[in-house]
């Protein structure tokens, strides 16, 4: 595509502006986490690791982080199994109502969290289940499945059906074909889908509010409880910075795995 | 007669309302290079897929060495396939691809390695074992696909338009290569192609498919020189058809006859020599193609004759469009079709 040099510069400037708007607040929070003052005032003053040390010894954020990881991992594990099975069923078999089923699987990601949350809560109460860790996992799995399903289905659709036939032709039975051909070829899609699903679960707050129960605080819930309390401000900044740094890893991994030339089949 | 390596017994395959293969019976002897030739949609690939076990016939039987395998899954059949798009496993290197069939059958690693090496040697790719398929050219992938199938020492090797994706030069090289390999390993090859030249060059016998049925089975020479139907005559090489009326006017007998372009020449004498027929007409088309010029003449008797004139001398006069000319051919070169095309399928049209 040809662009005049002024258009090119305008686009560059605009891109830079968007990135600044996106990232400046995050950098600001990171800077505040080593600020000597315990407020959001500008300009930040001094430099200290005091808050990092304190935050490290506080049980609240640590427990919340642990809960978030637990929830995310369990929901992702469920999503990987169900999403992969659904992807196989919907890409390989033809049956009545296939498109409808596909729509119903994908829909939860488009539903407003507040609707999902309220619906699940009233549903659980209706059948007499007290909301707790397990209900939270089920709630998160509803949208984690979508991510895994989409990734797995996209990959399966791109795989030539001839590969399966070639495998069978060479003497492999169904399970051998899955183990030696299909699964290795969809592995990167599953890893990428799993990472994204985990990330989605990790920062989910709306559905979580309704389905976690009173005693079970995930990290987003802990933030919501603490970010307006003056005493907690430095800790909130530290935890936020920590989470940002930690979340770079899975996102980077996911990108690498999905972009790798070998993964395109 | 000995048991055929492959036999189809009145095999029919329907997909919904479409009949892809319509009551085909054929016997293929061990060690043959047998081609299924036909236009796309004629049922030849479906036939191959039923022999491989990817499709279940709607009715009829498939036999391998006399044993009914109609309902056997592909992994239980002693046949291997070379796919049109090669279907190499992209996550495995060449050696692992070739070893695959032995691996799933539980052959020990050292023997596997040895046989894969031998198969790669057969297709002249010894040095490429560690490459991934996406680091190979089309022709090399083709050879890997061949080695991957041959390493299993199948009774029958099925090849589905294996040269279709190659450019012309490579195609001709691979044709020679295929013929050599088939001679060396002595396995029965069943080769699907829409390229009549390829089928004639490679095969010991050819089955010409049209609209789900076999029009004719025979050696390349039989197919070319004695086509059984108008379809075979026109699909295998170019043919001029002299219809009943034109034949009556020109030959004094009202039977439709066909004629190959290389048998038609420009008349040099004023009257027809003994055993020859002359036909005046108007040049309707001239095509130059290097080694020859193809001239289509609308003869006054009411037929369209194509003449293949060799390009011999520079400056030799070639008829131009609209010229009045007289063409000539030997009466003995006229071919009679055994039967008209066996069903109501217009020639050249897909079912």
């Amino acid at each position: 595509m040809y662009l005049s040099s002024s258009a090119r510069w305008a686009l560059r400037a605009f891109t830079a502006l968007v990135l600044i708007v996106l990232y400046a607040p995050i950098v600001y929070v990171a800077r505040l986490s080593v600020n000597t003052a315990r407020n959001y005032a500008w300009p930040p003053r001094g430099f200290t690791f005091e808050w990092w040390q304190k935050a490290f010894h506080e049980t609240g954020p640590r427990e919340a982080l642990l809960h978030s990881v637990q929830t995310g991992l369990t929901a992702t594990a469920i999503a990987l199994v169900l999403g992969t099975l659904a992807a196989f069923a919907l890409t390989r078999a033809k049956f009545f109502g296939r498109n409808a089923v596909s729509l119903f699987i994908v829909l939860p990601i488009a539903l407003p969290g507040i609707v999902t949350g309220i619906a699940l809560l009233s549903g659980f109460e209706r059948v007499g289940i007290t909301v707790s860790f397990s209900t939270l996992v089920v709630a998160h799995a509803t949208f984690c499945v979508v991510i895994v399903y989409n990734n797995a289905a996209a990959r399966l659709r791109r795989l030539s059906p001839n590969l399966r036939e070639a495998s069978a032709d060479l003497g492999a039975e169904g399970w051998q074909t899955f183990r030696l051909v299909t699964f290795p070829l969809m592995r990167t899609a599953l890893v990428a889908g799993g990472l994204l699903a985990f990330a989605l679960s990790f920062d989910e707050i709306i559905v979580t509010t309704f389905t976690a129960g009173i005693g079970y605080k995930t990290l987003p819930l802990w933030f919501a409880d603490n970010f307006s309390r003056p005493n907690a401000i430095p800790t909130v900044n530290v935890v936020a910075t920590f989470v940002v740094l930690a979340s770079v890893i899975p996102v980077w991994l996911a990108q690498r795995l999905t972009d790798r030339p070998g993964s395109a089949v | 007669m000995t048991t055929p390596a492959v036999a189809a017994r009145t095999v029919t395959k329907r997909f919904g309302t479409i009949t892809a293969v319509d009551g085909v019976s054929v016997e293929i002897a061990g060690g043959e290079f047998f081609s299924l030739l036909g236009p796309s949609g004629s049922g030849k690939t479906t036939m191959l897929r039923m022999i491989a076990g990817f499709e279940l016939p709607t009715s009829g039987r498939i036999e391998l060495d006399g044993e009914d395998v109609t309902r056997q899954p592909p992994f239980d059949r002693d046949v291997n396939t070379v796919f049109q798009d090669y279907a190499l496993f992209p996550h495995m290197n060449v050696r692992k691809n070739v070893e695959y069939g032995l691996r799933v059958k539980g052959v020990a690693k050292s023997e596997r390695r040895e046989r894969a090496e031998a198969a790669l040697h057969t297709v002249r790719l010894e040095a490429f074992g560690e490459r991934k398929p996406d680091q190979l050219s089309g022709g090399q992938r083709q050879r890997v696909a061949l080695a991957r199938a041959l390493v299993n020492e199948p009774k029958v090797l099925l090849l589905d338009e294996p040269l279709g994706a190659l450019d012309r030069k490579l195609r001709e090289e691979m044709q020679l290569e295929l013929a050599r390999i088939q001679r060396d390993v002595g396995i029965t090859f069943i080769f699907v192609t829409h390229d009549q030249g390829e089928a004639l060059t490679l095969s010991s016998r050819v089955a010409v498919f049209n609209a789900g049925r076999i029009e004719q089975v025979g050696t390349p020479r039989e197919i070319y020189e004695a086509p059984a139907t108008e379809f075979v005559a026109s699909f295998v090489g170019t043919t001029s058809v002299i219809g009943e009326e034109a034949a009556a006017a020109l030959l004094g007998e009202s039977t439709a006859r066909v004629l190959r372009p290389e048998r038609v020449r420009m008349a040099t004498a004023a009257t027809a020599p003994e055993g020859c027929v002359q036909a005046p007409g108007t040049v309707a088309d001239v095509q130059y193609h290097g080694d020859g010029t193809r001239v289509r003449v609308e003869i006054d008797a009411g037929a369209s004759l194509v003449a293949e004139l060799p390009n011999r001398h520079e400056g030799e006069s070639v008829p131009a469009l609209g010229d009045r000319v007289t063409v000539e051919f030997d009466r003995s070169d006229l071919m009679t079709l055994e039967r008209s095309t066996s069903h109501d399928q217009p020639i050249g049209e897909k079912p």
Side-chain angles (χ1 to χ4, degrees), chain A:
Chain A
M1 186 171 72
Y2 179 76
L3 287 174
S4 70
S5 72
S6 55
R8 225 177 347 225
W9 278 109
L11 273 178
R12 280 180 197 164
F14 185 68
T15 309
L17 183 71
V18 168
L19 287 175
I20 287 167
V21 169
L22 281 173
Y23 284 93
I26 294 173
V27 174
Y28 182 49
V29 167
R31 175 63 186 89
L32 286 178
S33 74
V34 290
N35 196 7
T36 42
R38 34 168 76 231
N39 55 30
Y40 294 119
W42 185 263
R45 273 169 303 159
F47 184 88
T48 175
F49 272 120
E50 187 193 342
W51 316 123
W52 281 82
Q53 272 168 351
K54 277 200 173 146
F56 191 73
H57 290 105
E58 265 186 61
T59 50
R62 241 199 303 173
E63 202 179 69
L65 180 65
L66 183 71
H67 287 167
S68 276
V69 171
Q70 263 176 352
T71 310
L73 288 181
T74 320
T76 304
I78 294 172
L80 279 172
V81 175
L82 297 183
T84 308
L85 291 175
F88 270 100
L90 290 166
T91 53
R92 289 202 177 162
K94 279 195 182 133
F95 52 89
F96 177 75
R98 182 168 74 157
N99 292 338
V101 172
S102 171
L103 179 70
F104 284 134
I105 291 175
V106 177
L107 200 57
I109 201 126
L111 289 177
I114 190 99
V115 175
T116 312
I118 292 174
L120 282 168
L121 177 62
S122 53
F124 288 137
E125 284 184 340
R126 184 92 203 134
V127 293
I129 297 171
T130 325
V131 286
S132 64
F133 172 69
S134 48
T135 54
L136 178 64
V137 164
V138 169
H140 278 205
T142 60
F143 52 81
C144 287
V145 166
V146 182
I147 304 294
V148 174
Y149 165 76
N150 274 341
N151 270 273
R155 178 64 57 89
L156 283 177
R157 271 193 289 268
R158 274 187 9 229
L159 284 185
S160 160
N162 276 355
L163 291 178
R164 254 186 310 149
E165 288 186 349
S167 175
D169 185 70
L170 292 164
E173 290 168 25
W175 172 246
Q176 285 176 310
T177 297
F178 177 77
R179 192 166 59 84
L180 298 172
V181 177
T182 316
F183 181 72
L185 287 173
M186 65 184 303
R187 190 162 44 206
T188 52
L190 290 180
V191 172
L195 285 169
L196 284 175
F198 180 82
L200 211 61
S201 157
F202 194 74
D203 76 347
E204 214 293 327
I205 184 161
I206 304 169
V207 176
T208 314
T209 310
F210 289 97
T211 51
I214 300 159
Y216 199 81
K217 292 276 175 245
T218 63
L219 203 58
L221 291 177
W222 179 85
F223 275 122
D225 286 351
N226 287 278
F227 84 107
S228 54
R229 284 162 48 190
N231 277 344
I233 287 173
T235 321
V236 168
N237 288 332
V238 168
V239 178
T241 309
F242 174 78
V243 170
V244 167
L245 292 176
S247 59
V248 169
I249 300 167
V251 171
W252 176 75
L253 269 177
Q255 273 208 340
R256 244 184 78 101
L257 287 171
T258 41
D259 290 352
R260 215 173 49 172
S263 68
V265 180

Side-chain angles (χ1 to χ4, degrees), chain B residues 146-158:
Chain B
L146 205 54
R148 183 177 69 175
L150 287 174
V151 77
N152 305 292
E153 294 166 9
K155 278 186 199 135
V156 180
L157 186 71
L158 309 174

Side-chain angles (χ1 to χ4, degrees), chain B residues 131-150:
Chain B
R131 297 253 194 120
K132 284 278 183 72
D134 60 5
Q135 297 169 310
L136 299 175
S137 70
Q140 289 166 340
R141 279 181 220 182
Q142 171 63 68
R143 286 159 200 256
V144 176
L146 205 54
R148 183 177 69 175
L150 287 174

Side-chain angles (χ1 to χ4, degrees), chain B residues 3-9 26-30 47 51 62-66 79 155-156 158 188 190:
Chain B
T3 317
V6 179
R9 312 255 182 232
V26 68
E27 291 191 349
I28 300 164
M47 189 66 229
I51 299 171
I62 305 280
E63 291 171 11
L64 292 178
D65 269 347
V79 300
K155 278 186 199 135
V156 180
L158 309 174
T188 310
I190 301 181

